Amino acid sequence: MAREKSPEPEPEAAPERSYQELLGNLNPIARPLASRRLTRRLYKCIKKAAKHKQIRRGVKEVQKFINKGEKGIIVLAGDTLPIEVYCHLPVMCEDRSLPYAYIPSKSVRIWEQLAAQSAQPV
């Protein structure tokens, strides 16, 4: 007799939060903040870059990237705490003329939900 696997309980979905609600969690240094539309585009770009293994994650890796003089765009999450961990990155980007932008949340899942909502006809 074979054992039957009991169905695993589905993880509860995180409550959907709007763009305006995400703005409430921003750090005071999160400037320039990407608009809702630009944020969606940045997430698509991040997804593509991850697929082609052309992405750098974490403060150490990004610092190396900037110091080596490589070209690209720096995307920073505006809700990351503590601020001191990454507050020096925008200054480094400005010194080397690298574009950077803050997005409201580091959670891609939230933005996939928002993109799905905006794609539905009204």
Side-chain angles (χ1 to χ4, degrees), residues 1-6:
M1 283 194 204
R3 285 188 182 173
E4 291 184 27
K5 291 184 180 179
S6 60

Side-chain angles (χ1 to χ4, degrees), residues 22-103:
L22 292 173
L23 294 180
N25 297 329
L26 286 179
N27 294 327
I29 65 164
R31 300 285 180 265
L33 181 65
S35 67
R36 182 184 182 119
R37 184 176 176 199
L38 179 58
T39 301
R40 271 191 257 128
R41 288 184 176 186
L42 285 171
Y43 270 116
K44 284 181 184 178
C45 183
I46 291 168
K47 245 182 164 179
K48 267 188 183 177
K51 192 176 192 179
H52 296 289
K53 303 192 191 278
Q54 295 293 318
I55 195 164
R56 310 292 192 282
R57 287 191 207 172
V59 176
K60 277 187 169 184
E61 253 187 275
V62 172
Q63 277 181 320
K64 286 180 194 175
F65 167 82
I66 294 171
N67 287 332
K68 285 182 181 178
E70 294 182 33
K71 295 294 177 190
I73 183 167
I74 310 296
V75 180
L76 304 164
D79 63 349
T80 303
L81 288 175
I83 299 171
E84 293 82 19
V85 171
Y86 73 111
C87 64
H88 62 285
L89 291 177
V91 176
M92 291 175 71
C93 291
E94 288 173 4
D95 287 345
R96 289 163 180 85
S97 301
L98 280 175
Y100 70 96
Y102 284 90
I103 51 176

